[in-house]
C-alpha cells in the first residue's frame, strides 16, 4: 500500500478512536442474571490506572516486536547487497575459469598432436648444431613456465569459483531464513497491534481522555523527579554533527509514526534517530537495540544535544535529545513526531554517536514551532504495521 494511503488511513483511524462518540463506542455487555441493568463487561470495571498500565504493556510489546522486525529487515538488506556482490564476483570467476580451461585444452591438444612449441624446441636442442643450445634452453624454459602458469591459473580459477559458489549458497540460505523470520516478526507486530485496537475499541472518548491525562501527569512527575536529582543540570553544546541531527529531527515534527518507516513522510522511533544522524553524514545502526548495543554510552547527567536516549529494559524505544530536558521522538502509531520530556518513558540510558567530536564553541538552539509538543499518544492501528 503506498505510504500516502497508509498515512491517510492511520490518521482516519486515530481520529475515529480519539473522538469516538457513543454511536461508535463498544456496546455494553449484556447484564448477568440478577445483576443491575447498568452492569458493563469486565473491561469497564478496570480503573483508569489499570487500563493505562495494560496499554503501556501492550505498547511496549508492540514496539519490541517492531524493532525486531526492523532488525531483521535491516539484516536482510545487508544480505541482499552481499548476495549481489557475490553474484558479480562469481560471474567473473566463472568467465576466468572458462578462459583457463580453453587455454589448458589448447595445450593438451597441441601436445597430443605433437606440434607444440615445446616439442619443436626439444628437437632443435637434440640436433647436431649445439651453437644455439643456450638460446634454445632459454626458450624451452619460457615455454615450460608459460604452461605452468596456465595450469596454475586454471587451478586457482577453479578454487575461486568453488569458494564463491559455496559462499553464494550460504548467503542464499541465510536470505531464505531471514525472509521467513521477517514475516514472523511482521505477524507478531500485527498481533500486538490488534490487541491494542481491541482494548481501545471498548473505551469511550471520555475514558481515552482520562487515560491521556493520567499518562501526561505521570510523565510530568517522572520529569520533576529527574530534574530534582540534578541529572539535567547545566547546559551543553552539541558537536557540529549533533547540531545537524537535531535540526533534521525538528524539521520532521508533525509527521506520522508508521511501523518500519525511515522517512521522508513518516517515521518510527529508530527510523527518526538513524535518519537524523545519516543527514549529518554519520551512519548508525537502524534499531534502538543496536544503537544501545553498538554506540558509546554516556551518562544521562552528561547529555548534550544530538545524543540518543534509550528507553525500557530491552532498549525498545529511542529518542533524540535536543537540550533543556527535552527530546524529539516518534512516540508510537497513531501519534506524530513531537517534543517530549526526556523522562516521558522509563529511562535505560543514553548513547553518543560522535564521542570524539568536540562541542561547538557557540550554539543557538533551533527555535521550536508552536505546538511542537502537541499530539495524543493513543490511537494504534494495524494498517500502520509492516506490510512487507
Amino acid at each position: 500500500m503506498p505510504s500516502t494511503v497508509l498515512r491517510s488511513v492511520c490518521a482516519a483511524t486515530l481520529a475515529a478512536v480519539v473522538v469516538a462518540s457513543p454511536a461508535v463506542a463498544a456496546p455494553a455487555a449484556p447484564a448477568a442474571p440478577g445483576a443491575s441493568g447498568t452492569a458493563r463487561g469486565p473491561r469497564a470495571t478496570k480503573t483508569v490506572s489499570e487500563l493505562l498500565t495494560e496499554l503501556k504493556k501492550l505498547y511496549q510489546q508492540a514496539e519490541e516486536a517492531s524493532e525486531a522486525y526492523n532488525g531483521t529487515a535491516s539484516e536482510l538488506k545487508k544480505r541482499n547487497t552481499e548476495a549481489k556482490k557475490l553474484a558479480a564476483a562469481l560471474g567473473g570467476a566463472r568467465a576466468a575459469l572458462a578462459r583457463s580451461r580453453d587455454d589448458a585444452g589448447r595445450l593438451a591438444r597441441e601436445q597430443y598432436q605433437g606440434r607444440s612449441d615445446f616439442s619443436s624446441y626439444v628437437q632443435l636442442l637434440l640436433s647436431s648444431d649445439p651453437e644455439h643450445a643456450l638460446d634454445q634452453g632459454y626458450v624451452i624454459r619460457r615455454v615450460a613456465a608459460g604452461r605452468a602458469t596456465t595450469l596454475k591459473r586454471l587451478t586457482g580459477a577453479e578454487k575461486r569459483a568453488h569458494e564463491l559458489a559455496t559462499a553464494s549458497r550460504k548467503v542464499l540460505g541465510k536470505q531464505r531464513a531471514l525472509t521467513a523470520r521477517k514475516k514472523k516478526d511482521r505477524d507478531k507486530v500485527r498481533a500486538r497491534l490488534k490487541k491494542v485496537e481491541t482494548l481501545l475499541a471498548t473505551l469511550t472518548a471520555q475514558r481515552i481522555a482520562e487515560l491521556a491525562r493520567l499518562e501526561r501527569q505521570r510523565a510530568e512527575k517522572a520529569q520533576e523527579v529527574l530534574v530534582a536529582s540534578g541529572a539535567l543540570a547545566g547546559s551543553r553544546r552539541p558537536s557540529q554533527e549533533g547540531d545537524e541531527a537535531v535540526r533534521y529531527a525538528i524539521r520532521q515534527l508533525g509527521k506520522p509514526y508508521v511501523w518500519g518507516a525511515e522517512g521522508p513522510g513518516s517515521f518510527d522511533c529508530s527510523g527518526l534517530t538513524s535518519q537524523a544522524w545519516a543527514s549529518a553524514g554519520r551512519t548508525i545502526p537502524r534499531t534502538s537495540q543496536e544503537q544501545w548495543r553498538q554506540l558509546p554510552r554516556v551518562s544521562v547527567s552528561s547529555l548534550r544535544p544530538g545524543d540518543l536516549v534509550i528507553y525500557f529494559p530491552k532498549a525498545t524505544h529511542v529518542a533524540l535529545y535536543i537540550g533543556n530536558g527535552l527530546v524529539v521522538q516518534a512516540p508510537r502509531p497513531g501519534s506524530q513526531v513531537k517534543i517530549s520530556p526526556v523522562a516521558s518513558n522509563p529511562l535505560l540510558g543514553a548513547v553518543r554517536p560522535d564521542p570524539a567530536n568536540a562541542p561547538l564553541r557557540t550554539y543557538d538552539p533551533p527555535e521550536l514551532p508552536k505546538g511542537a509538543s502537541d499530539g495524543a499518544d493513543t490511537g494504534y492501528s494495524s494498517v500502520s504495521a509492516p506490510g512487507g
Side-chain angles (χ1 to χ4, degrees):
M1 182 181 294
S3 59
T4 53
V5 176
L6 281 177
R7 292 197 295 272
S8 298
V9 176
C10 187
T13 304
L14 172 60
V17 172
V18 175
V19 299
S21 64
V24 296
S36 169
T38 60
R40 301 283 302 275
R43 184 77 71 183
T45 64
K46 292 191 176 185
T47 66
V48 174
S49 178
E50 289 172 335
L51 283 171
L52 182 57
T53 299
E54 185 175 353
L55 273 171
K56 279 189 168 292
K57 181 180 179 181
L58 291 173
Y59 294 157
Q60 189 176 351
Q61 289 174 344
E63 190 140 47
E64 182 179 344
S66 178
E67 288 299 275
Y69 169 88
N70 289 336
T72 304
S74 179
E75 186 65 22
L76 183 57
K77 187 176 180 180
K78 292 178 184 177
R79 294 296 180 190
N80 285 335
T81 300
E82 184 181 354
K84 288 179 181 178
K85 290 181 179 178
L86 280 172
L90 182 56
R94 283 174 172 164
L97 177 58
R99 290 192 299 270
S100 296
R101 282 174 174 166
D102 288 344
D103 291 343
R106 177 180 54 78
L107 286 176
R109 287 192 300 274
E110 290 178 353
Q111 185 68 35
Y112 175 75
Q113 296 168 0
R115 57 184 180 84
S116 68
D117 292 334
F118 185 79
S119 299
S120 301
Y121 282 112
V122 167
Q123 292 173 10
L124 286 173
L125 185 61
L126 297 176
S127 68
S128 57
D129 183 6
E131 184 177 346
H132 303 294
L134 184 60
D135 291 339
Q136 292 167 356
Y138 171 75
V139 173
I140 290 172
R141 286 194 298 273
R142 287 286 303 273
V143 173
R147 289 184 173 180
T149 300
T150 298
L151 293 175
K152 184 177 181 181
R153 188 168 65 242
L154 173 60
T155 303
E158 287 179 336
K159 182 179 179 182
R160 174 66 173 160
H162 175 73
E163 290 174 347
L164 287 170
T166 301
S168 293
R169 285 193 295 271
K170 287 182 179 179
V171 169
L172 180 60
K174 289 179 179 179
Q175 278 180 297
R176 289 172 177 165
L178 283 170
T179 299
R181 198 171 87 198
K182 181 182 176 183
K183 182 180 182 300
K184 183 178 179 181
D185 291 340
R186 179 202 63 194
D187 293 344
K188 194 176 293 185
V189 174
R190 289 176 172 173
R192 299 299 188 193
L193 290 176
K194 200 65 181 175
K195 288 186 178 181
V196 178
E197 287 180 338
T198 300
L199 176 56
L200 288 174
T202 68
L203 306 178
T204 64
Q206 179 182 356
R207 203 74 157 156
I208 289 175
E210 291 173 353
L211 285 169
R213 184 165 54 252
L214 179 59
E215 184 174 29
R216 185 169 58 253
Q217 290 173 353
R218 288 184 177 180
E220 290 172 352
K221 183 176 180 180
Q223 185 77 359
E224 289 173 2
V225 171
L226 186 62
V227 170
S229 72
L232 301 178
S235 177
R236 296 173 186 82
R237 299 183 299 275
S239 65
Q240 179 65 48
E241 288 183 343
D243 177 46
E244 292 174 12
V246 167
R247 293 179 187 277
Y248 175 92
I250 289 176
R251 289 197 298 272
Q252 314 314 312
L253 289 171
K255 293 184 178 180
Y257 183 119
V258 173
W259 291 114
E262 299 177 81
S266 57
F267 296 88
D268 65 11
C269 69
S270 56
L272 177 64
T273 55
S274 61
Q275 287 303 305
W277 274 95
S279 74
R282 185 175 292 265
T283 300
I284 65 173
R286 168 63 176 89
T287 67
S288 56
Q289 291 101 330
E290 288 303 300
Q291 290 170 4
W292 174 245
R293 188 175 72 86
Q294 295 186 33
L295 298 178
R297 298 180 185 180
V298 295
S299 65
V300 174
S301 61
S302 63
L303 279 172
R304 72 182 186 186
D307 289 345
L308 305 183
V309 182
I310 311 295
Y311 298 96
F312 299 108
K314 294 185 179 180
T316 51
H317 187 67
V318 61
L320 192 141
Y321 189 66
I322 62 172
N324 297 319
L326 300 174
V327 295
V328 58
Q329 64 167 334
R332 57 198 187 219
S335 66
Q336 59 191 24
V337 178
K338 59 185 288 191
I339 302 297
S340 305
V342 71
S344 56
N345 289 295
L347 286 166
L348 176 62
V351 295
R352 180 167 295 164
D354 64 336
N357 288 356
L360 295 169
R361 291 178 179 273
T362 60
Y363 178 57
D364 293 320
E367 185 176 348
L368 299 180
K370 185 177 180 180
S373 298
D374 293 349
D377 289 340
T378 54
Y380 274 78
S381 172
S382 61
V383 299
S384 62

